[in-house]
């Protein structure tokens, strides 16, 4: 533990013994007649009633209000500190000073006396003095400078504990003027023979970085930290990883390459649990050189799944999923047909981690169980069906906390299949009448979800519908009746065939359901099933008569829709009702949506030349759900985003990081390295790492190590002057480029551009500048029959084809555009940066295309650029002959 925690703990632990000893041993002050508070014959403790005496064993003795003169009394005791021979009494005096300081009493007047007390061999006293110095350094910098020489001297003490404590205290002073005194002790500590001093020095580097970044950069501590990743002590390596990640947070964390990654993985068994987490957090950022290396990393990390540390298990799961995403086969890859796809690998990962997760669920605390349930829920969405056979683990237990019960019930619905659906539905049926109202609602929703997704097998939909119909008559539990009505409304949309099962109890249910959502659902069902319910018009008529007393807009909207729909089934009975409800709804200003719907129905009925046309519009079954999800329930985009942030609070909150973290505080996630020394198809041969000893036995005999890196020679290229992207001052013809590439016929290679891609000006400029002009492709003077009259005539058609505009402008003789598009990730995810010039006389189109990222194969890249040109010509087809 750090100094404050340790010192406060020492103070608390010593309270009892201190009072007993001080009452028995502290004499009155030798230089004053003032009695010692709480001592024999002395005054009662501060705040005690007159005549009260201190009793031994009261822990409050340190933390009492300061009486006038107590700080002076402590000064007198400290002045005799050097001559005091009782070791325990010295400690008690120090504890009293620290106790006052902890209470917020200003004891900075004792600084000089405390400085004199630092010359001691008692490590406990040194710790308390160091705490005192660090506490008052920021508020009293002039006093803190007095202790600099002493701390620097202690940094060379023969005792490594003293050296480490002195160095930590020296770095904790946090004063800019202390940098010159701190740098040299820090540098020496990194080469100290004791691991405690080295790891303290590593953390001191971080403090120096936050204190003065310019001096930090001059000292070149970054390179030293990377060298220390090979330190024989794992705690030092752990601190190096943490410090490098924080120092390089703006660039996405510490730089990784194959050598660093494999070295750390080979030593993972040497780390503490905290250190293992630090290493595991690096794995998702590392891109394996090829499939073999990815599988070897997974085999190396597999033993971590057998630990009892839930954090390490979840971090390993994230690492596995990241590797599967990196090495799995994607659509368009030219790998063997037998190569596993990304989805196949992820399913294998989830199968492997199922047992450890289920074991942790049954053995953890309630807080840990809740977090693990969130992760399980996310993994079930990723790979449905794998956890189905473990459905009994998610049954609610009487001693579970409320939030855990809710999570389990939601998960149960996702585990249903034809084999276990009867058991799950029966379990949910028992929870409907639970005293917890929210539990009952979730149970009904989960039951309906099984029917909605057809996961219960043949007959499950009708069986669940009958259960929900029975719940409509639970008048004593109004929230269940309301929730059942809402569920039935969704079921009818999904399965119109259950109308006959649902219709009978609806008129009766409308009388008893009081919640607005449930009432709106019953009214909607009356409109859907009105053709088979004889009393439907008369039931709705009573509601229409009480229209003015309805406060909820959803009920009014459902009433309007149901009445219009019922009119086409039963015109004579509903005609007058329809006129009344249309009049009230069009005059209702409480809801704009209701008002506009009423006007729409009124105008439709009034202007339609054929009533059959209006009937086909109103009674159309277009609302029927043809997929397993309603559009409003489709959260596939959010789930995909959350998988990229697995093992973070995003999973718990079920939202992206930018929704609860300020943008400037979001840690960048950058995958590295972009290029490997080994080609993708090269076999990975494990090589013994000379810095690692005994690395295989502990981790199941799997060995991985660094391989010699091949030297990569950069191909020189001619780089022209920087292009002025937004100033329109560059000349396309002046660029140093190879011979323009002709536009060839369309290739079989598919090109698919992402929609909604956004680049800012700085990113565009950086991407454009990063591609040498020698790699640009020029498409000169494509003849056009006509030309645009404004920039919108080019931007809008291209936008429809996912080619977006960064900047555009009109000059006297031409239009100029800076465009961009990005491939789908499945096809490489690369950017195409385009400079387009439309000449006015004669009309022609010239293109300069720079590919950034994506496929590096020259042949495939050329094919994609050819298709991009054809896509642009198609988008602007009205201007080409």
């Amino acid at each position: 533990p750090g100094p404050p925690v340790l010192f406060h703990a020492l103070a608390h632990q010593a309270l009892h013994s201190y009072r007993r000893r001080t009452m028995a041993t502290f004499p009155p002050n030798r230089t004053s007649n003032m009695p010692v508070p709480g001592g024999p014959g002395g005054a009662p403790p501060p705040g005690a009633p007159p005549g009260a005496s201190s009793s031994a064993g009261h822990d409050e003795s340190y933390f009492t209000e300061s009486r006038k003169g107590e700080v002076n009394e402590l000064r007198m005791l400290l002045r005799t500190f050097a001559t005091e021979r009782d070791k325990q009494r010295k400690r008690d005096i120090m504890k009293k000073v620290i106790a006052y300081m902890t209470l917020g009493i200003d004891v900075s007047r004792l600084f000089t006396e405390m400085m004199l007390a630092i010359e001691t061999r008692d490590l406990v006293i040194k710790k308390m003095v160091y705490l005192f110095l660090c506490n008052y350094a920021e508020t009293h910098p002039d006093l803190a400078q007095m202790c600099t020489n002493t701390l620097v001297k202690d940094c060379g003490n023969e005792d490594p504990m003293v050296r480490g404590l002195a160095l930590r205290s020296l770095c904790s002073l946090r004063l800019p003027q202390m940098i010159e005194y701190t740098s040299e002790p820090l540098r020496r500590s990194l080469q100290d023979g004791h691991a405690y001093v080295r790891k303290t020095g590593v953390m001191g580097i971080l403090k120096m970085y936050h204190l003065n970044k310019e001096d930090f950069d001059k000292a070149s501590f970054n390179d030293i930290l990377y060298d220390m990743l090979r330190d024989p002590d794992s705690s030092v390596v752990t601190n190096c990883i943490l410090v490098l990640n924080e120092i390089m947070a703006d660039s996405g964390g510490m730089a990784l390459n194959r050598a660093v990654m494999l070295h750390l993985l080979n030593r993972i068994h040497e780390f503490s649990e905290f250190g293992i987490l630090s290493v595991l957090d690096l794995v998702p950022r590392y891109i394996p050189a090829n499939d073999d290396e990815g599988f070897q990393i997974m085999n190396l990390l597999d033993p971590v799944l057998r630990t009892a540390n839930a954090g390490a298990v979840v971090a390993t799961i994230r690492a596995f999923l990241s590797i599967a995403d990196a090495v799995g086969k994607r659509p368009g890859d030219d790998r063997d047909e037998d190569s596993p796809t990304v989805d196949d690998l992820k399913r294998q990962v989830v199968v492997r981690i199922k047992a450890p997760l289920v074991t942790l669920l049954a053995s953890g605390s309630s807080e840990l169980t809740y977090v693990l349930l969130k992760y399980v829920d996310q993994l079930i969405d990723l790979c449905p069906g794998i956890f189905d056979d473990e459905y009994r683990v998610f049954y609610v237990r009487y001693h579970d906390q409320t939030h855990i019960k809710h999570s389990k019930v939601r998960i149960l619905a996702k585990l249903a299949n034809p084999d276990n659906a009867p058991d799950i539905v029966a379990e949910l049926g028992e929870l409907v009448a639970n005293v917890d109202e929210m539990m009952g609602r979730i149970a009904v929703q989960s039951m309906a979800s099984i029917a909605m997704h057809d996961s219960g097998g043949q007959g499950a939909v009708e069986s669940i519908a009958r259960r929900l119909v029975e719940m409509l008559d639970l008048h004593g539990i109004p929230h269940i009746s309301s929730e059942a009505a809402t569920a039935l409304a969704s079921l009818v949309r999904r399965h119109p065939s259950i109308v006959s099962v649902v219709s009978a109890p609806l008129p009766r249910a409308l009388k008893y359901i009081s919640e607005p959502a449930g009432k709106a659902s019953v009214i909607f069902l009356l409109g859907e099933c009105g053709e088979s319910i004889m009393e439907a018009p008369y039931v709705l008529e009573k509601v229409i008569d009480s229209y003015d007393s309805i406060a909820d807009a959803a009920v009014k909207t459902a009433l309007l829709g149901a009445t219009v729909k019922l009119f086409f089934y039963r015109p004579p009975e509903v005609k007058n009702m329809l006129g009344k409800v249309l009049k009230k709804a069009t005059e209702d200003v409480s809801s704009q949506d209701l008002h506009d719907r009423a006007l729409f129905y009124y105008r439709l009925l009034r202007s339609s030349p054929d009533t059959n046309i209006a009937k086909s519009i109103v009674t159309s079954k277009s609302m029927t759900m043809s997929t397993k999800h309603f559009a409003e329930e489709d959260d596939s985009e959010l789930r995909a985003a959350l998988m990229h942030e697995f093992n973070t609070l995003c999973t718990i909150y079920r939202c992206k990081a930018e929704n609860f973290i300020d943008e400037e505080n979001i840690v960048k996630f950058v995958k590295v390295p972009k290029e490997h020394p080994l080609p993708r198809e090269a076999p990975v041969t494990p090589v013994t790492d000379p810095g690692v000893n005994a690395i295989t036995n502990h981790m199941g005999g799997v060995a991985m190590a660094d391989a010699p890196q091949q030297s990569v020679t950069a191909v020189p290229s001619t780089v022209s002057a920087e292009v002025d992207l937004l100033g329109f001052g560059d000349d396309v013809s002046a660029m140093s480029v190879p011979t323009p590439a002709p536009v060839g016929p369309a290739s079989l290679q598919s090109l698919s551009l992402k929609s909604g891609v956004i680049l800012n000006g700085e990113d565009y400029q950086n991407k454009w500048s990063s591609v040498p002009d020698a790699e640009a492709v020029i498409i000169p003077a494509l003849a056009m029959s006509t030309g645009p009259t404004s920039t919108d005539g080019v931007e809008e058609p291209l936008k429809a084809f996912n080619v977006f505009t960064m900047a555009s402008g009109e000059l006297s003789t031409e239009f100029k555009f800076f465009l961009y598009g990005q491939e789908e990730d499945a096809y490489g995810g690369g950017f195409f940066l385009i400079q387009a010039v439309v000449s006015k006389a004669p009309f022609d189109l010239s293109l300069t295309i720079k590919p950034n990222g994506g496929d590096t194969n020259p042949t495939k890249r050329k094919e994609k650029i050819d298709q991009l040109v054809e896509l642009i010509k198609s988008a602007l087809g009205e201007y080409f002959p």
Side-chain angles (χ1 to χ4, degrees):
V5 177
L6 179 60
F7 297 157
H8 295 172
L10 286 172
H12 264 289
Q13 292 170 3
L15 293 180
H16 178 80
S17 58
Y18 173 79
R19 284 300 298 164
R20 186 166 55 244
R21 282 198 280 292
T22 51
M23 286 191 298
T25 60
F26 269 23
N29 192 309
R30 295 185 181 125
T31 60
S32 171
N33 294 326
M34 181 184 295
V36 178
S53 61
S54 302
S55 60
H58 282 202
D59 290 351
E60 292 82 4
S61 58
Y62 283 108
F63 301 96
T64 55
E65 294 183 2
S66 173
R67 292 187 311 159
K68 183 178 180 181
E70 284 198 348
V71 175
N72 290 330
E73 181 184 347
L74 284 173
R75 176 184 282 117
M76 296 303 174
L77 292 173
L78 287 171
R79 286 178 178 175
T80 62
F81 194 85
T83 59
E84 180 61 57
R85 296 185 177 183
D86 188 342
K87 180 178 179 181
Q88 187 58 47
R89 188 176 177 188
K90 286 185 174 184
R91 291 185 179 182
D92 291 338
I93 295 172
M94 285 295 171
K95 290 173 186 175
K96 188 71 173 178
V97 175
I98 299 301
Y100 279 14
M101 183 182 74
T102 305
L103 287 172
I105 300 171
D106 184 9
V107 289
S108 60
R109 288 178 290 169
L110 305 177
F111 201 95
T112 304
E113 288 76 13
M114 292 292 286
M115 278 294 304
L116 296 175
I118 202 172
E119 297 294 343
T120 177
R121 293 180 177 273
D122 190 335
L123 193 59
V124 175
I125 293 178
K126 269 190 179 291
K127 288 180 180 179
M128 288 189 281
V129 175
Y130 287 154
L131 175 62
F132 180 90
L133 299 178
C134 294
N135 185 71
Y136 286 108
E138 198 165 348
T139 55
H140 299 76
D142 51 336
L143 296 178
Q145 287 184 321
M146 295 169 55
C147 65
T148 303
N149 292 335
T150 303
L151 290 174
V152 172
K153 178 182 176 183
D154 281 350
C155 287
N157 193 286
E158 60 182 11
D159 187 346
M161 294 300 295
V162 174
R163 294 199 302 272
L165 285 172
L167 181 64
R168 181 166 59 183
S169 301
L170 185 63
C171 296
S172 298
L173 295 180
R174 309 274 178 116
L175 300 174
Q177 58 267 33
M178 299 296 295
I179 291 291
E180 58 180 312
Y181 303 104
T182 307
S183 298
E184 191 55 36
L186 262 182
R187 198 176 294 276
R188 288 200 309 269
S189 70
L190 300 178
Q191 300 175 353
D192 196 277
H194 198 279
Y196 172 70
V197 181
R198 294 198 302 275
K199 74 175 184 178
T200 303
V202 171
M203 298 310 295
I205 290 176
L206 181 60
K207 296 174 183 177
M208 180 179 177
Y209 169 78
H210 288 298
L211 193 61
N212 192 317
K213 295 182 180 180
E214 292 182 2
D215 289 345
F216 174 86
D217 293 335
K218 293 177 182 177
S220 301
F221 278 122
N222 267 5
D223 297 335
I224 298 175
L225 289 174
Y226 277 110
D227 290 338
M228 292 186 69
L229 289 175
R230 288 188 175 273
D231 192 279
D233 189 272
S234 59
S235 62
V236 177
V237 179
T238 300
N239 283 7
C240 288
I241 294 172
L242 297 175
V243 171
L244 283 169
N245 277 331
E246 185 162 347
I247 289 173
M248 305 180 69
D250 292 341
S251 57
M254 66 176 284
L256 292 174
N257 57 28
R258 192 166 184 266
V260 172
M261 194 70 254
L262 298 186
H263 171 74
L264 294 175
L265 290 176
N266 278 323
R267 295 186 58 184
I268 195 168
H269 69 283
E270 301 176 9
F271 290 85
S272 64
E273 291 185 348
F274 182 73
I276 289 175
L277 292 176
S278 301
V279 175
L280 290 175
D281 285 342
L282 298 176
V283 178
R285 293 183 48 227
Y286 177 70
I287 304 174
N290 51 36
D291 298 359
D292 290 341
E293 182 177 293
F295 296 144
Q296 288 184 15
I297 292 175
M298 295 171 78
N299 289 333
L300 184 61
L301 295 180
D302 186 76
V304 181
L305 294 174
R306 296 195 288 269
T307 67
N309 187 326
V313 172
V314 176
T316 305
I317 295 173
R318 186 189 182 196
F320 281 5
L321 293 174
S322 173
I323 294 172
D325 195 58
V327 305
K329 182 181 178 182
R330 298 180 180 276
D333 284 0
D334 54 355
R335 285 189 268 177
D336 296 340
E337 294 181 359
D338 296 336
S339 299
T341 64
V342 173
D343 292 339
D344 291 339
L345 285 178
K346 287 184 176 180
R347 288 193 67 84
Q348 293 178 32
V349 168
V350 176
V351 169
R352 173 63 187 90
I353 56 90
K354 179 178 72 171
L357 272 182
V358 170
T359 302
L360 289 171
L361 278 173
S363 58
S365 63
S366 58
E367 294 82 1
L368 178 60
T369 300
Y370 176 75
V371 173
L372 291 174
L373 285 171
K374 287 291 187 178
Y375 290 129
V376 170
D377 192 4
Q378 195 172 355
L379 292 171
I380 291 173
D381 289 337
L382 177 67
C383 300
I386 293 178
F387 283 86
D388 289 0
D389 57 340
E390 300 287 351
Y391 68 95
R392 288 187 177 86
V393 174
F394 301 94
Y395 278 0
V396 172
R397 308 184 190 280
Y398 74 95
H399 57 75
D400 284 341
Q401 299 291 332
T402 301
H403 53 287
I404 293 177
K405 292 180 180 179
H406 293 175
S407 296
K408 285 185 173 181
V409 173
R410 290 190 177 97
I411 290 175
L412 274 175
K414 298 180 180 182
L415 302 179
N417 60 35
D419 296 328
N420 61 27
D423 291 344
I424 291 178
V425 172
E427 177 72 13
L428 294 175
E430 296 294 328
L431 299 174
V432 166
N434 195 283
V435 293
D436 179 4
E437 178 180 326
M438 181 56 67
M439 171 67 77
R441 291 182 185 273
I442 296 174
V444 174
Q445 294 168 6
S446 298
M447 203 179 297
S449 177
I450 295 174
M452 293 269 291
H453 296 89
D454 283 335
S455 55
Q458 187 176 4
V461 174
E462 185 174 346
S463 174
I464 292 174
R466 292 187 185 281
R467 281 179 176 267
L468 294 175
V469 168
E470 293 174 2
M471 294 176 193
L472 290 177
D473 293 328
L474 294 177
H475 306 151
I477 316 178
H479 63 275
I480 295 299
S481 301
S482 174
E483 205 63 48
T486 304
L488 284 171
S490 298
L491 275 182
V492 169
R493 292 175 61 190
R494 177 72 177 90
H495 301 284
S497 59
I498 65 170
V499 167
S500 59
V501 178
V502 174
S503 56
L506 293 178
R508 183 174 64 253
L510 187 61
K511 299 178 183 179
Y512 301 105
I513 293 180
S514 57
E515 291 188 5
K519 183 169 288 188
S521 298
V522 173
I523 293 174
F524 167 80
L525 289 171
L526 285 170
E528 291 290 318
C529 311
E531 194 173 6
S532 58
I533 302 176
M534 295 302 298
E535 61 268 39
Y538 313 107
V539 173
L540 289 182
E541 185 175 17
K542 294 180 181 179
V543 181
I544 293 172
D545 291 340
S546 61
Y547 182 93
D548 294 333
S549 63
I550 300 174
D552 191 82
V555 177
K556 295 179 181 179
T557 303
L559 180 61
L560 173 64
T563 305
V564 174
K565 186 170 290 189
L566 203 58
F567 169 73
F568 290 103
Y569 295 140
R570 317 269 284 276
E573 300 166 276
V574 183
K575 180 179 179 181
N576 292 334
M577 295 164 46
L578 178 60
K580 186 184 298 183
V581 75
L582 282 175
K583 181 178 184 300
K584 288 182 176 294
T586 52
E587 295 174 353
D588 194 335
V589 295
S590 62
S591 171
Q592 188 65 44
D593 179 46
L594 172 65
H595 176 76
D596 291 349
R597 283 173 184 256
L599 285 178
F600 168 75
Y601 287 135
Y602 172 75
R603 290 165 181 167
L604 176 66
L605 295 173
R606 183 179 180 182
S607 60
S608 178
D610 185 356
T611 56
N612 290 328
I613 297 177
K615 181 178 180 180
S616 65
I617 294 173
V618 174
T619 62
S620 171
K621 296 300 181 182
S622 60
M623 292 178 61
T624 302
M625 182 176 167
S626 58
T627 64
K628 291 188 177 183
H629 296 280
F630 289 123
E632 62 268 22
E633 296 176 350
D634 185 13
D635 60 348
S636 56
E637 184 178 345
L638 174 62
R639 285 191 278 114
L642 292 180
M643 284 309 303
H644 288 294
E645 302 186 66
F646 193 81
N647 195 24
T648 67
L649 285 175
C650 297
T651 299
I652 310 302
Y653 296 153
R654 196 166 177 76
C655 61
K656 299 178 183 178
E658 55 262 29
N659 293 338
F660 61 93
I661 301 177
D662 293 336
E663 184 177 358
E664 61 271 16
N665 294 326
I666 295 179
V667 178
K668 294 182 180 179
F669 185 81
V670 179
K671 288 204 166 192
V672 290
K674 295 182 179 179
E675 295 183 1
H676 273 281
L678 295 178
R680 187 170 189 84
E681 60 274 6
V684 177
T685 304
V687 179
T688 302
D689 188 338
V692 181
N693 298 317
I695 60 176
T696 57
N697 294 335
H698 184 81
M699 303 302 286
V702 180
M704 292 187 63
D706 191 14
Q709 298 190 8
Q710 301 174 1
S711 60
V712 180
T713 304
V715 179
S717 60
T718 303
V719 181
S720 66
E722 184 178 7
V723 181
D724 180 14
L725 287 177
L726 305 181
F728 306 108
D730 56 311
D731 185 1
V732 178
S733 62
M735 296 179 65
S736 174
V737 293
T739 306
V743 179
S747 168
L748 295 177
Q749 174 70 27
S750 59
L751 174 70
S752 178
L753 298 181
K754 282 185 179 181
S755 60
V757 179
I758 298 176
L759 274 183
N760 57 40
E762 183 179 356
D763 289 342
Y764 190 101
Q765 180 75 54
N766 292 337
K767 290 181 181 296
W768 181 278
S769 302
S770 66
V771 180
D773 292 339
E775 297 181 12
V777 177
I778 300 294
I779 309 297
L782 298 174
M784 305 170 68
S785 56
T786 60
T789 58
S790 68
T791 56
D792 289 340
V794 173
E795 294 177 18
E796 294 302 323
L798 289 177
K799 184 178 180 181
F801 285 76
N802 297 330
V803 177
F804 304 98
T805 305
M806 181 70 251
S808 62
E810 181 178 2
L811 303 177
S812 58
T813 59
E814 61 187 18
F815 294 93
K816 185 170 285 190
F817 305 86
F818 289 93
L819 313 168
Y820 65 93
Q822 185 182 11
E823 291 180 286
E824 293 285 354
D825 293 337
Y827 298 95
F831 280 87
F832 293 100
L833 310 177
I834 308 162
Q835 180 179 271
V837 178
V838 178
S839 301
K840 295 182 178 179
F843 286 112
D844 60 44
L845 172 65
S846 299
L847 299 174
T848 303
I849 302 175
K850 285 190 174 186
N852 181 280
D855 205 328
T856 57
N857 186 304
T859 303
K860 292 183 178 180
R861 177 172 283 186
K862 179 181 179 302
E863 290 175 352
K864 291 182 179 181
I865 291 177
D866 291 345
Q867 291 182 50
L868 178 62
V869 174
E870 293 298 322
L871 182 146
I872 293 174
K873 291 175 66 176
S874 299
L876 305 177
E878 61 180 298
Y879 305 126
F880 285 92

